[in-house]
mmCIF file of all heavy atoms in Angstrom:
data_model
loop_
_atom_site.group_PDB
_atom_site.id
_atom_site.type_symbol
_atom_site.label_atom_id
_atom_site.label_comp_id
_atom_site.label_asym_id
_atom_site.label_seq_id
_atom_site.Cartn_x
_atom_site.Cartn_y
_atom_site.Cartn_z
ATOM 1 N N ILE B 85 -4.778 -68.059 -0.415
ATOM 2 C CA ILE B 85 -4.084 -69.245 0.103
ATOM 3 C C ILE B 85 -2.628 -69.277 -0.449
ATOM 4 O O ILE B 85 -1.684 -69.428 0.251
ATOM 5 C CB ILE B 85 -4.725 -70.544 -0.340
ATOM 6 C CG1 ILE B 85 -6.184 -70.583 0.281
ATOM 7 C CG2 ILE B 85 -3.946 -71.732 0.125
ATOM 8 C CD1 ILE B 85 -6.994 -71.819 -0.109
ATOM 9 N N ASN B 86 -2.503 -68.999 -1.735
ATOM 10 C CA ASN B 86 -1.114 -68.958 -2.375
ATOM 11 C C ASN B 86 -0.257 -67.935 -1.689
ATOM 12 O O ASN B 86 0.899 -68.227 -1.463
ATOM 13 C CB ASN B 86 -1.319 -68.537 -3.852
ATOM 14 C CG ASN B 86 -1.201 -69.743 -4.753
ATOM 15 O OD1 ASN B 86 -0.099 -70.266 -5.067
ATOM 16 N ND2 ASN B 86 -2.288 -70.390 -5.089
ATOM 17 N N ILE B 87 -0.734 -66.737 -1.465
ATOM 18 C CA ILE B 87 0.090 -65.765 -0.858
ATOM 19 C C ILE B 87 0.741 -66.212 0.420
ATOM 20 O O ILE B 87 1.890 -66.148 0.696
ATOM 21 C CB ILE B 87 -0.705 -64.419 -0.720
ATOM 22 C CG1 ILE B 87 -1.001 -63.763 -2.004
ATOM 23 C CG2 ILE B 87 0.081 -63.444 0.261
ATOM 24 C CD1 ILE B 87 -1.838 -62.493 -1.860
ATOM 25 N N PHE B 88 -0.151 -66.797 1.292
ATOM 26 C CA PHE B 88 0.330 -67.235 2.618
ATOM 27 C C PHE B 88 1.353 -68.409 2.433
ATOM 28 O O PHE B 88 2.432 -68.341 2.981
ATOM 29 C CB PHE B 88 -0.820 -67.596 3.557
ATOM 30 C CG PHE B 88 -1.396 -66.372 4.183
ATOM 31 C CD1 PHE B 88 -2.486 -65.707 3.617
ATOM 32 C CD2 PHE B 88 -0.786 -65.794 5.226
ATOM 33 C CE1 PHE B 88 -3.048 -64.554 4.194
ATOM 34 C CE2 PHE B 88 -1.252 -64.629 5.876
ATOM 35 C CZ PHE B 88 -2.416 -64.001 5.314
ATOM 36 N N LEU B 89 0.887 -69.427 1.671
ATOM 37 C CA LEU B 89 1.675 -70.651 1.683
ATOM 38 C C LEU B 89 2.999 -70.402 0.913
ATOM 39 O O LEU B 89 4.093 -70.805 1.358
ATOM 40 C CB LEU B 89 0.945 -71.785 0.966
ATOM 41 C CG LEU B 89 -0.363 -72.257 1.639
ATOM 42 C CD1 LEU B 89 -0.785 -73.619 1.044
ATOM 43 C CD2 LEU B 89 -0.115 -72.329 3.134
ATOM 44 N N ASN B 90 2.960 -69.653 -0.127
ATOM 45 C CA ASN B 90 4.187 -69.397 -0.860
ATOM 46 C C ASN B 90 5.199 -68.443 -0.152
ATOM 47 O O ASN B 90 6.402 -68.763 -0.156
ATOM 48 C CB ASN B 90 3.917 -68.705 -2.257
ATOM 49 C CG ASN B 90 3.064 -69.548 -3.150
ATOM 50 O OD1 ASN B 90 3.056 -70.780 -3.024
ATOM 51 N ND2 ASN B 90 2.374 -69.003 -4.167
ATOM 52 N N THR B 91 4.678 -67.488 0.508
ATOM 53 C CA THR B 91 5.504 -66.562 1.239
ATOM 54 C C THR B 91 6.153 -67.292 2.352
ATOM 55 O O THR B 91 7.350 -67.163 2.682
ATOM 56 C CB THR B 91 4.675 -65.318 1.695
ATOM 57 O OG1 THR B 91 3.964 -64.808 0.546
ATOM 58 C CG2 THR B 91 5.615 -64.278 2.204
ATOM 59 N N MET B 92 5.306 -68.046 3.113
ATOM 60 C CA MET B 92 5.931 -68.860 4.226
ATOM 61 C C MET B 92 6.976 -69.829 3.770
ATOM 62 O O MET B 92 8.076 -69.818 4.326
ATOM 63 C CB MET B 92 4.784 -69.663 4.941
ATOM 64 C CG MET B 92 3.885 -68.783 5.886
ATOM 65 S SD MET B 92 2.292 -69.625 6.144
ATOM 66 C CE MET B 92 2.811 -71.167 6.901
ATOM 67 N N ALA B 93 6.707 -70.512 2.692
ATOM 68 C CA ALA B 93 7.713 -71.445 2.213
ATOM 69 C C ALA B 93 9.000 -70.778 1.711
ATOM 70 O O ALA B 93 10.091 -71.110 2.045
ATOM 71 C CB ALA B 93 7.107 -72.364 1.107
ATOM 72 N N GLY B 94 8.790 -69.671 0.972
ATOM 73 C CA GLY B 94 9.870 -68.914 0.464
ATOM 74 C C GLY B 94 10.799 -68.350 1.547
ATOM 75 O O GLY B 94 11.968 -68.378 1.509
ATOM 76 N N TYR B 95 10.114 -67.881 2.603
ATOM 77 C CA TYR B 95 10.830 -67.346 3.718
ATOM 78 C C TYR B 95 11.631 -68.421 4.429
ATOM 79 O O TYR B 95 12.799 -68.090 4.772
ATOM 80 C CB TYR B 95 9.812 -66.703 4.768
ATOM 81 C CG TYR B 95 10.344 -66.188 5.980
ATOM 82 C CD1 TYR B 95 10.984 -64.894 6.011
ATOM 83 C CD2 TYR B 95 10.297 -66.834 7.182
ATOM 84 C CE1 TYR B 95 11.545 -64.343 7.131
ATOM 85 C CE2 TYR B 95 10.868 -66.337 8.350
ATOM 86 C CZ TYR B 95 11.453 -65.074 8.307
ATOM 87 O OH TYR B 95 11.974 -64.581 9.471
ATOM 88 N N ALA B 96 11.029 -69.570 4.624
ATOM 89 C CA ALA B 96 11.741 -70.670 5.343
ATOM 90 C C ALA B 96 13.012 -70.975 4.585
ATOM 91 O O ALA B 96 14.073 -71.220 5.079
ATOM 92 C CB ALA B 96 10.851 -71.816 5.517
ATOM 93 N N LEU B 97 12.840 -71.107 3.259
ATOM 94 C CA LEU B 97 13.966 -71.502 2.449
ATOM 95 C C LEU B 97 15.044 -70.455 2.294
ATOM 96 O O LEU B 97 16.252 -70.778 2.131
ATOM 97 C CB LEU B 97 13.511 -71.860 0.910
ATOM 98 C CG LEU B 97 12.683 -73.137 0.835
ATOM 99 C CD1 LEU B 97 12.185 -73.286 -0.593
ATOM 100 C CD2 LEU B 97 13.523 -74.328 1.222
ATOM 101 N N ALA B 98 14.726 -69.189 2.492
ATOM 102 C CA ALA B 98 15.710 -68.151 2.388
ATOM 103 C C ALA B 98 16.346 -67.703 3.754
ATOM 104 O O ALA B 98 17.481 -67.542 3.789
ATOM 105 C CB ALA B 98 15.146 -66.878 1.780
ATOM 106 N N ARG B 99 15.489 -67.792 4.789
ATOM 107 C CA ARG B 99 15.974 -67.153 6.070
ATOM 108 C C ARG B 99 16.135 -68.067 7.211
ATOM 109 O O ARG B 99 16.721 -67.624 8.141
ATOM 110 C CB ARG B 99 14.894 -66.100 6.438
ATOM 111 C CG ARG B 99 15.189 -64.813 5.748
ATOM 112 C CD ARG B 99 16.652 -64.411 5.887
ATOM 113 N NE ARG B 99 17.040 -63.362 5.062
ATOM 114 C CZ ARG B 99 16.794 -62.070 5.400
ATOM 115 N NH1 ARG B 99 16.121 -61.784 6.400
ATOM 116 N NH2 ARG B 99 17.251 -61.095 4.605
ATOM 117 N N LEU B 100 15.642 -69.298 7.135
ATOM 118 C CA LEU B 100 15.808 -70.148 8.232
ATOM 119 C C LEU B 100 16.937 -71.164 7.856
ATOM 120 O O LEU B 100 17.007 -71.561 6.756
ATOM 121 C CB LEU B 100 14.526 -70.882 8.584
ATOM 122 C CG LEU B 100 13.432 -69.923 9.021
ATOM 123 C CD1 LEU B 100 12.181 -70.656 9.376
ATOM 124 C CD2 LEU B 100 13.869 -69.100 10.266
ATOM 125 N N ASP B 101 17.740 -71.627 8.899
ATOM 126 C CA ASP B 101 18.791 -72.536 8.640
ATOM 127 C C ASP B 101 18.333 -73.816 9.216
ATOM 128 O O ASP B 101 18.074 -73.949 10.380
ATOM 129 C CB ASP B 101 20.046 -72.012 9.337
ATOM 130 C CG ASP B 101 21.209 -72.834 8.986
ATOM 131 O OD1 ASP B 101 21.172 -73.398 7.853
ATOM 132 O OD2 ASP B 101 22.146 -72.937 9.829
ATOM 133 N N PHE B 102 18.249 -74.790 8.447
ATOM 134 C CA PHE B 102 17.746 -76.135 8.901
ATOM 135 C C PHE B 102 18.330 -77.185 7.973
ATOM 136 O O PHE B 102 18.505 -77.026 6.867
ATOM 137 C CB PHE B 102 16.268 -76.276 8.982
ATOM 138 C CG PHE B 102 15.630 -75.945 7.705
ATOM 139 C CD1 PHE B 102 15.122 -77.048 6.872
ATOM 140 C CD2 PHE B 102 15.259 -74.687 7.225
ATOM 141 C CE1 PHE B 102 14.532 -76.826 5.664
ATOM 142 C CE2 PHE B 102 14.680 -74.566 6.045
ATOM 143 C CZ PHE B 102 14.292 -75.624 5.209
ATOM 144 N N PRO B 103 18.493 -78.498 8.647
ATOM 145 C CA PRO B 103 19.002 -79.513 7.766
ATOM 146 C C PRO B 103 17.959 -79.939 6.666
ATOM 147 O O PRO B 103 16.746 -79.897 6.935
ATOM 148 C CB PRO B 103 19.202 -80.703 8.835
ATOM 149 C CG PRO B 103 18.390 -80.287 9.980
ATOM 150 C CD PRO B 103 18.291 -78.825 10.023
ATOM 151 N N GLY B 104 18.483 -80.157 5.494
ATOM 152 C CA GLY B 104 17.587 -80.541 4.372
ATOM 153 C C GLY B 104 17.138 -79.351 3.551
ATOM 154 O O GLY B 104 16.388 -79.474 2.567
ATOM 155 N N ARG B 105 17.643 -78.147 3.967
ATOM 156 C CA ARG B 105 17.147 -76.978 3.239
ATOM 157 C C ARG B 105 17.563 -77.002 1.758
ATOM 158 O O ARG B 105 16.689 -76.818 0.954
ATOM 159 C CB ARG B 105 17.713 -75.748 3.879
ATOM 160 C CG ARG B 105 17.488 -74.449 3.056
ATOM 161 C CD ARG B 105 17.646 -73.224 3.819
ATOM 162 N NE ARG B 105 19.054 -72.854 3.930
ATOM 163 C CZ ARG B 105 19.476 -71.630 4.325
ATOM 164 N NH1 ARG B 105 18.568 -70.745 4.498
ATOM 165 N NH2 ARG B 105 20.749 -71.379 4.430
ATOM 166 N N GLN B 106 18.903 -77.316 1.507
ATOM 167 C CA GLN B 106 19.316 -77.302 0.120
ATOM 168 C C GLN B 106 18.513 -78.410 -0.737
ATOM 169 O O GLN B 106 18.121 -78.125 -1.831
ATOM 170 C CB GLN B 106 20.823 -77.652 0.044
ATOM 171 C CG GLN B 106 21.686 -76.512 0.428
ATOM 172 C CD GLN B 106 21.705 -75.444 -0.644
ATOM 173 O OE1 GLN B 106 20.697 -74.745 -0.987
ATOM 174 N NE2 GLN B 106 22.876 -75.222 -1.316
ATOM 175 N N ARG B 107 18.367 -79.495 -0.007
ATOM 176 C CA ARG B 107 17.726 -80.688 -0.696
ATOM 177 C C ARG B 107 16.244 -80.288 -1.073
ATOM 178 O O ARG B 107 15.806 -80.533 -2.197
ATOM 179 C CB ARG B 107 17.773 -81.896 0.122
ATOM 180 C CG ARG B 107 18.506 -83.025 -0.541
ATOM 181 C CD ARG B 107 18.729 -84.199 0.461
ATOM 182 N NE ARG B 107 19.887 -83.922 1.229
ATOM 183 C CZ ARG B 107 20.112 -84.346 2.522
ATOM 184 N NH1 ARG B 107 19.111 -85.038 3.025
ATOM 185 N NH2 ARG B 107 21.193 -84.109 3.188
ATOM 186 N N ILE B 108 15.541 -79.691 -0.185
ATOM 187 C CA ILE B 108 14.226 -79.315 -0.450
ATOM 188 C C ILE B 108 14.139 -78.285 -1.563
ATOM 189 O O ILE B 108 13.413 -78.368 -2.512
ATOM 190 C CB ILE B 108 13.424 -78.748 0.793
ATOM 191 C CG1 ILE B 108 13.271 -79.917 1.756
ATOM 192 C CG2 ILE B 108 12.146 -78.021 0.454
ATOM 193 C CD1 ILE B 108 12.570 -79.462 3.049
ATOM 194 N N TYR B 109 15.046 -77.278 -1.524
ATOM 195 C CA TYR B 109 15.176 -76.270 -2.526
ATOM 196 C C TYR B 109 15.341 -76.851 -3.930
ATOM 197 O O TYR B 109 14.591 -76.568 -4.797
ATOM 198 C CB TYR B 109 16.310 -75.268 -2.201
ATOM 199 C CG TYR B 109 16.675 -74.351 -3.233
ATOM 200 C CD1 TYR B 109 15.759 -73.283 -3.675
ATOM 201 C CD2 TYR B 109 17.890 -74.372 -3.953
ATOM 202 C CE1 TYR B 109 16.115 -72.425 -4.683
ATOM 203 C CE2 TYR B 109 18.243 -73.534 -4.904
ATOM 204 C CZ TYR B 109 17.354 -72.509 -5.320
ATOM 205 O OH TYR B 109 17.697 -71.682 -6.238
ATOM 206 N N TYR B 110 16.336 -77.770 -4.040
ATOM 207 C CA TYR B 110 16.584 -78.354 -5.326
ATOM 208 C C TYR B 110 15.465 -79.256 -5.772
ATOM 209 O O TYR B 110 15.169 -79.360 -6.987
ATOM 210 C CB TYR B 110 17.943 -79.103 -5.346
ATOM 211 C CG TYR B 110 19.110 -78.153 -5.471
ATOM 212 C CD1 TYR B 110 19.988 -77.954 -4.449
ATOM 213 C CD2 TYR B 110 19.162 -77.385 -6.657
ATOM 214 C CE1 TYR B 110 20.998 -77.042 -4.588
ATOM 215 C CE2 TYR B 110 20.166 -76.438 -6.804
ATOM 216 C CZ TYR B 110 21.099 -76.266 -5.787
ATOM 217 O OH TYR B 110 22.070 -75.358 -5.975
ATOM 218 N N ALA B 111 14.803 -79.930 -4.794
ATOM 219 C CA ALA B 111 13.665 -80.763 -5.248
ATOM 220 C C ALA B 111 12.576 -79.827 -5.732
ATOM 221 O O ALA B 111 11.959 -80.179 -6.840
ATOM 222 C CB ALA B 111 13.115 -81.475 -3.929
ATOM 223 N N PHE B 112 12.286 -78.794 -5.155
ATOM 224 C CA PHE B 112 11.251 -77.790 -5.657
ATOM 225 C C PHE B 112 11.643 -77.380 -7.101
ATOM 226 O O PHE B 112 10.781 -77.454 -7.960
ATOM 227 C CB PHE B 112 11.188 -76.548 -4.737
ATOM 228 C CG PHE B 112 10.367 -76.831 -3.430
ATOM 229 C CD1 PHE B 112 10.094 -78.028 -3.041
ATOM 230 C CD2 PHE B 112 9.893 -75.699 -2.752
ATOM 231 C CE1 PHE B 112 9.333 -78.250 -1.894
ATOM 232 C CE2 PHE B 112 9.100 -75.867 -1.657
ATOM 233 C CZ PHE B 112 8.848 -77.173 -1.216
ATOM 234 N N LEU B 113 12.950 -77.008 -7.278
ATOM 235 C CA LEU B 113 13.313 -76.588 -8.588
ATOM 236 C C LEU B 113 13.047 -77.616 -9.596
ATOM 237 O O LEU B 113 12.515 -77.408 -10.663
ATOM 238 C CB LEU B 113 14.809 -76.181 -8.535
ATOM 239 C CG LEU B 113 15.162 -74.835 -8.039
ATOM 240 C CD1 LEU B 113 16.716 -74.607 -8.355
ATOM 241 C CD2 LEU B 113 14.424 -73.753 -8.616
ATOM 242 N N ALA B 114 13.406 -78.872 -9.225
ATOM 243 C CA ALA B 114 13.255 -80.017 -10.187
ATOM 244 C C ALA B 114 11.764 -80.155 -10.540
ATOM 245 O O ALA B 114 11.431 -80.443 -11.680
ATOM 246 C CB ALA B 114 13.835 -81.299 -9.553
ATOM 247 N N PHE B 115 10.912 -80.076 -9.555
ATOM 248 C CA PHE B 115 9.421 -80.321 -9.763
ATOM 249 C C PHE B 115 8.943 -79.224 -10.769
ATOM 250 O O PHE B 115 8.081 -79.454 -11.618
ATOM 251 C CB PHE B 115 8.616 -80.215 -8.486
ATOM 252 C CG PHE B 115 9.002 -81.314 -7.557
ATOM 253 C CD1 PHE B 115 8.802 -81.129 -6.210
ATOM 254 C CD2 PHE B 115 9.452 -82.506 -8.002
ATOM 255 C CE1 PHE B 115 9.120 -82.127 -5.267
ATOM 256 C CE2 PHE B 115 9.731 -83.567 -7.040
ATOM 257 C CZ PHE B 115 9.574 -83.290 -5.769
ATOM 258 N N MET B 116 9.520 -78.084 -10.667
ATOM 259 C CA MET B 116 9.121 -76.955 -11.439
ATOM 260 C C MET B 116 9.475 -77.162 -12.969
ATOM 261 O O MET B 116 8.877 -76.765 -13.842
ATOM 262 C CB MET B 116 9.766 -75.688 -11.036
ATOM 263 C CG MET B 116 9.165 -74.373 -11.510
ATOM 264 S SD MET B 116 9.665 -73.033 -10.552
ATOM 265 C CE MET B 116 11.244 -72.639 -11.108
ATOM 266 N N MET B 117 10.462 -78.090 -13.192
ATOM 267 C CA MET B 117 10.967 -78.340 -14.475
ATOM 268 C C MET B 117 10.257 -79.425 -15.209
ATOM 269 O O MET B 117 10.489 -79.631 -16.425
ATOM 270 C CB MET B 117 12.448 -78.675 -14.419
ATOM 271 C CG MET B 117 13.303 -77.481 -13.939
ATOM 272 S SD MET B 117 14.908 -77.898 -13.449
ATOM 273 C CE MET B 117 15.462 -76.348 -12.743
#
Side-chain angles (χ1 to χ4, degrees):
Chain B
I85 298 180
N86 258 277
I87 288 177
F88 279 97
L89 299 196
N90 295 340
T91 311
M92 280 159 62
Y95 177 79
L97 288 175
R99 276 310 170 79
L100 299 179
D101 188 30
F102 59 96
R105 169 161 81 160
Q106 285 286 66
R107 241 170 276 148
I108 290 179
Y109 168 69
Y110 281 114
F112 279 18
L113 279 188
F115 295 153
M116 198 161 77
M117 292 165 188

